[in-house]
Each structure stands twice: as structure tokens, then as C-alpha cells.
Amino acid sequence: MTDGMHLLVDALQLNDVETIYGVVGIPITDVARLAQACGIRYIGFRHESAAGHAAAAAGFLTKKPGVLLTVSGPGFLNGMVAAANATVNCFPLVHIAGSSDRAVVDMRRGDYEELDQMTAAKPFVKASFRINRVQDIGRGVARAIRTAVSGRPGGVYLDVPAAVLAETIEAAAAAETLWRVADPAPAQHPAAERITDALALLASAQRPLIVLGKGAAYAQADDAIREFVESTGIPFLPMSMAKGLLPDDHPSSVAAARSLALAKADVVLLIGARLNWLLAQGEAPHWSPAAQFIQVDIDPGEFDSNHPIAVPLAGDIGSVIGDLNAGLERHPVSCPQLWQIELGEKRRTNDAKMATRLAQDPHPMGFYNALRAVRDVLADRPDVYVVNEGANTLDIGRNVLGMSVPRHRLDCGTWGVMGIGLGYAIAAAVESGKPVVAIEGDSAFGFSGMEVETICRYQLPVVIIILNNGGVYRGDGIDPAGTDPAPTVLAPRAHHEQVMTAFGGIGYHVTTPAELHTALQRALDAARPALIDCELAVTAGTESGHLTNLNPHSTVPLAPVS
Ligand code: ADP
């Protein structure tokens, strides 16, 4: 005989699941124990959201669904934040949660952690399944994996009631209920005419532009993308998580001339990037009103979601770009030189402006001189994974830190969410075995700060850098009533490095770029958990970073209410 718990682990193993990220408790503790005993790595977190973010990052990095395991009720809900975020970011993830007694839950009789989790999950994931019989465990796992990874990747919820985990079944019959998903994300080519249309439109352009999004990074079609960029000479703009797909210092990169490239491009090839808020919905004044778009996306429902798409190329990026490369022989495309020169000049001007900014050395440190020190150390270590979250920390970090290797930058993504930092860092270290540097605002760090213990427990080579200006955005807010700290203020002059030393890691507190440089070198050389708290001026940074425009500001002066 066997039971649901064994079958669940067998089904995951049969489908090549190597790591589970989670938090144990009723009723799934033994699932984690059993998985570990069977050779699946189990990484236990302190909070389900962080575990879920780790699973999502694992999905992005490996192109296989990351697996999150949580308890029922509140644990499920905590994990759902990450499942929703994974879905929004198009990262494949399977969230498995134990659940309480169906008969009691469905009659609302008040069970332990009572919640109809399958229904609750539906708006937040691609699909939500519940396994109601032990003989459906194999089907549930297969369906969850295929749904997560095929088409547009995303989160899938798989509900496993405690009773099903405990249900017994004859072992030989049970084995026949399991299967391995064949070709989980099949290649998909667009029609040949669309490829011709796309190449013809690009060939007619005076100012063509390629935008690379994190879908392009996810697709692992690096060589094909490079071939297309280099054989056409079309300038490319990497979205933040596509940085490194081609090196930031590539001659065709126009990251440093972004505004000009957007404003003047007349034909735009979007590769795994959506025309959402991060690209100003394709609208003027950020874009030329005359711009025409070609979009490569696995999800045809994405086309026209914001702007007319002149040539939709529905398919997976590897296949589509392969077809475009093959079509170039018959339909050559060559970027006009004038456009390359115009962008090149703008790039040089902006690079010079950035160099001037970075050369300034205020004390206490600001974001730019602190990030300069980080940039200098990382320049010699391209294999380091970079995680980046915060407001100013993210916005400035994205511009200052160059990337030269694909899929080595993980950040707040489509929602601009805080709290992904340590989960992403842990997954990057676990999945790659390589060093990770997580560059965190002091506020952003707080959302998942307890995962420092997880990093220490597993002895991961993660270095956390906290750009500490003592606040959300900055630390100099004042309560007009003079009673409490202002809403944006955090504990002044906090020493976050002590959180790391509390669990056996290395802690540094630095006040100058030179100290930061040395500390980061040492921490990376040690290849052990470390945290560098960087004392920044409380006035460093701007409210909402580069997104101030999204805030409705009070028209009434902020004053005590009498
Ligand atoms: P960014 O935020 O970097 O601009 P988005 O997350 O907005 O990127 O866009 C990613 C897009 O990539 C999504 O529309 C998604 O459907 C698409 N995508 C993901 N994987 C693939 C793939 N293998 N092939 C084609 N498109 C993909």
C-alpha cells in the first residue's frame, strides 16, 4: 500500500522537480520530510511569501515551474501573494497547499484554518485545481506543471486536502496513475507570411528599435536574439530583467538613450515585453504617435491590449526569432546609419552625465556614490547574480549597474512590488550555486528581512547590501503634530548588519564608498552569508524614486488637525 503523501512526492519527482520552497505546518510537514528523504531538496523559509517569491524566481531562471509548499488558510494566503506576482510576471510556479476537511469547510462549520482555497486562488493564478481523490494526484501534478509552463507562463494553485494526503491506495495501482508531462512547453511558430510582414516593415523603417523584455530573458533564446540584433544592426533597449541578455556595453544597446529611442522610433520590435505602464502603454508623448509595433509573444491575447500591433508574431521567442533570422536572407534588414549615429551621440552625452554624477562624493553617502562602489566590484565578477529592490535603490541601481550575462538580474518586476528581495536571492543561490548580491533599500529589506536566518541556515553565498537612508524613500520626514515618526520614517541609524551576525553571518557597517568597496570584495571572497549596512544621508533619494508622477499629492497643506 501507499498513500497520497508518497504519491505526491513520486509525481513531483517523476516530473523532475528538484527543489521545493516552503514553510511547513499542518497538514504538509510530512510532505516536506518525505520529499527530502526521497532526494528532493527542501528549502524552508520563515514566511510563505518569501518562499513563493523564491519558487517564482526559480521558475524564471530554469524555465521549469518553481514549487511552493504551504500550509492551509493563512499560510496559503501568504503564498498566494507570490503566486499572483509570479502570474503577473509570467514566471511558472506551482503552489501546492494542504487544506482542511472539505465537508466542514464547504458547510462553513468552522474548521482549523478553514478556507475554500481553490476558489480564493482563482483570480490570482492561471488555473486553480483541487485534488479530491488519491488516484488524481498524478493528474493534478501533471496538469499543474503543464499549465504553469505552457503558453504564457504563470502561477498555478494545486489544493491537496489533508484527507487526500492520508488516503491509502494499492501501490501498483497507484503507480499507474502517475505520468511525466511530455514536452511541457511545445515550440510554436507564427505563420510564414507574418515573418515576411515583420521583416518588410523593419526594412522600411528609418528609426527601428528592438525592445527586449523579461520574456526574452526567460525564453533562453540568447544566441538567436544576438544574431538578429547583430545582423540587422537595429538598436536594442533592454527592460530591467532583460539586461545582460546582450551586454550593456554592446554597441547597439541604447539603454542610456532610452527617452530618445522611444520618442523617435518609427518601427518597434517588442520581444517578450508588454506595452504596459513600464513602456508608457505605447502612448505619446513617450512614444512617437506614428510608431508601428511588431510584437513577439507567446500569448496572442497580449496583442492590441494597449496599442494597435501592426504585425503580431504569435509564438515562442526561440522559434520566432529563429524564423526571423532565417528570413533575413530573402528579406534583408539593415538599420539606417543616421539613426545609429543619433542614438550613439545621445548615449555618449548621457554616459558622460552619469559619469559626472557618479564622480561626486558626498558624505554621508548618497545613492550614486554608494552604487558606484558596488558597480566597480561587480564589474570584475560578471557571474554574480544581482537582486535589486527599493524605490531609489531600484531606479538608480538599474541605471548604474551594468549586466553582461543573461538572467543575472532579478528585480521588482511588473508590479513594482517590494518584498521579493531575499526570496529571489535565495533562489538564485540555490538554483545556480553562484554568488548573489541583493541590493536593498532599508524599507524593502524589511519586507523579507527574517529570511536572513534562512540564508544563514543553508549557508548560501548571498551578500545583502542595504542602502540605508532611514526611511521609505528617505528618512527626513517630519510629523507635523510632533508626536510620532512621519509615515516615511524608519528607525534612524539602524545597524541592519546585526541582524546578520545574530544568525552567524558576517556583518559590516560602512560609511564611505571605499569601505563599501572593501567590504563587498571581502564578503564575496568569503562566499558566505553577509550583510553590509551602508549609512546614507537621510536626505538621499526622492519620494517614490522615479515614480513621483504616480502619486496624487494633497492640495491641502500638511498641518496638524486642530
Ligand atoms: P518586461 O516587464 O521586461 O517588459 P513583460 O513581463 O511585460 O516584460 O513581458 C513578458 C512577455 O513575454 C509576456 O507578454 C509573456 O507572454 C511573454 N513571454 C514569456 N515567455 C515567452 C516565450 N517563451 N516566448 C514568447 N513570449 C514569451
Side-chain angles (χ1 to χ4, degrees), residues 427-556:
V430 166
E431 298 292 330
S432 72
K434 295 271 169 49
V436 180
V437 172
I439 304 152
E440 305 270 315
D442 52 332
S443 163
F445 170 75
F447 286 80
S448 62
M450 194 61 197
E451 303 305 336
V452 163
E453 189 275 332
T454 309
I455 291 168
C456 289
R457 186 161 19 104
Y458 291 95
Q459 280 300 300
L460 299 172
V462 174
V463 182
I464 301 166
I465 297 174
I466 297 187
L467 299 186
N468 180 7
N469 62 1
V472 182
Y473 311 130
R474 47 197 272 163
D476 59 347
I478 292 169
D479 167 18
T483 319
D484 281 319
T488 51
V489 162
L490 298 171
R493 301 280 70 101
H495 280 248
H496 296 89
E497 74 280 6
Q498 292 175 10
V499 179
M500 180 58 85
T501 53
F503 300 106
I506 313 168
Y508 302 89
H509 181 80
V510 300
T511 60
T512 65
E515 287 171 4
L516 172 53
H517 192 288
T518 308
L520 182 55
Q521 295 267 32
R522 288 200 181 135
L524 284 168
D525 288 343
R528 284 186 46 211
L531 191 152
I532 306 171
D533 186 66
C534 308
E535 191 172 310
L536 264 53
V538 291
T539 52
T542 53
E543 180 143 336
S544 302
H546 292 178
L547 301 179
T548 308
N549 58 313
L550 298 183
N551 279 321
H553 280 295
S554 173
T555 48
V556 181

Side-chain angles (χ1 to χ4, degrees), residues 258-308:
R258 180 188 166 99
S259 302
L260 179 71
L262 260 52
K264 286 203 159 180
D266 59 356
V267 175
V268 182
L269 173 61
L270 299 163
I271 306 179
R274 287 170 283 186
L275 277 180
N276 56 18
W277 71 281
L278 288 161
L279 284 171
Q281 264 91 14
E283 288 169 5
H286 299 274
W287 294 88
S288 156
Q292 298 191 76
F293 290 89
I294 303 164
Q295 186 163 26
V296 183
D297 207 289
I298 193 80
D299 181 2
E302 182 56 35
F303 305 132
D304 302 312
S305 56
N306 275 293
H307 194 283

Side-chain angles (χ1 to χ4, degrees), residues 151-454:
R152 170 179 280 171
V156 173
Y157 176 61
L158 190 58
D159 194 84
V160 193
V164 176
L165 290 172
E167 200 177 333
T168 54
I169 178 171
E170 202 265 318
E176 287 179 15
T177 65
L178 305 186
W179 72 85
R180 186 184 159 84
V181 177
D183 194 10
Q188 190 184 317
H189 292 261
E193 308 88 80
R194 293 291 84 75
I195 293 290
T196 310
D197 293 348
L199 293 173
L201 188 56
L202 282 169
S204 73
Q206 293 308 304
R207 293 177 302 281
L209 176 69
I210 293 173
V211 178
L212 299 173
K214 58 183 171 306
Y218 172 79
Q220 299 191 13
D222 313 340
D223 293 345
I225 290 171
R226 178 187 278 268
E227 186 184 329
F228 190 75
V229 167
E230 292 185 345
S231 48
T232 60
I234 299 176
F236 73 89
L237 179 72
M239 300 300 285
S240 67
M241 282 181 62
K243 275 164 70 79
L245 199 46
L246 285 112
D248 278 333
D249 60 4
H250 191 283
S252 294
S253 169
V254 290
R258 180 188 166 99
S259 302
L260 179 71
L262 260 52
K264 286 203 159 180
D266 59 356
V267 175
V268 182
L269 173 61
L270 299 163
I271 306 179
R274 287 170 283 186
L275 277 180
N276 56 18
W277 71 281
L278 288 161
L279 284 171
Q281 264 91 14
E283 288 169 5
H286 299 274
W287 294 88
S288 156
Q292 298 191 76
F293 290 89
I294 303 164
Q295 186 163 26
V296 183
D297 207 289
I298 193 80
D299 181 2
E302 182 56 35
F303 305 132
D304 302 312
S305 56
N306 275 293
H307 194 283
I309 298 299
V311 185
L313 294 175
D316 70 282
I317 287 163
S319 300
V320 179
I321 307 300
D323 291 352
L324 286 171
N325 282 327
L328 281 175
E329 245 179 59
R330 277 174 292 117
H331 307 281
V333 174
S334 178
C335 178
Q337 238 187 345
L338 268 180
W339 176 229
Q340 291 171 328
I341 293 169
E342 185 179 358
L343 288 168
E345 278 168 5
K346 185 72 181 169
R347 178 178 164 172
R348 276 187 293 282
T349 312
N350 285 351
D351 280 347
K353 274 191 204 156
M354 175 64 91
T356 310
R357 241 185 205 158
L358 288 170
Q360 289 164 4
D361 237 341
H363 188 81
M365 280 187 283
F367 284 92
Y368 282 95
N369 57 338
L371 283 163
R372 181 190 70 216
V374 178
R375 179 201 64 175
D376 290 349
V377 174
L378 296 186
D380 298 331
R381 303 177 191 243
D383 61 329
V384 170
Y385 282 78
V386 172
V387 174
N388 195 189
E389 67 170 333
N392 294 279
T393 305
L394 174 79
D395 289 337
I396 302 172
R398 183 175 49 222
N399 294 340
V400 171
L401 303 169
M403 303 300 299
S404 55
V405 182
R407 291 170 295 283
H408 273 53
R409 183 184 159 86
L410 296 153
D411 65 29
C412 303
T414 303
W415 262 351
V417 68
M418 297 299 138
I420 46 85
L422 301 205
Y424 280 11
I426 290 168
V430 166
E431 298 292 330
S432 72
K434 295 271 169 49
V436 180
V437 172
I439 304 152
E440 305 270 315
D442 52 332
S443 163
F445 170 75
F447 286 80
S448 62
M450 194 61 197
E451 303 305 336
V452 163
E453 189 275 332
T454 309

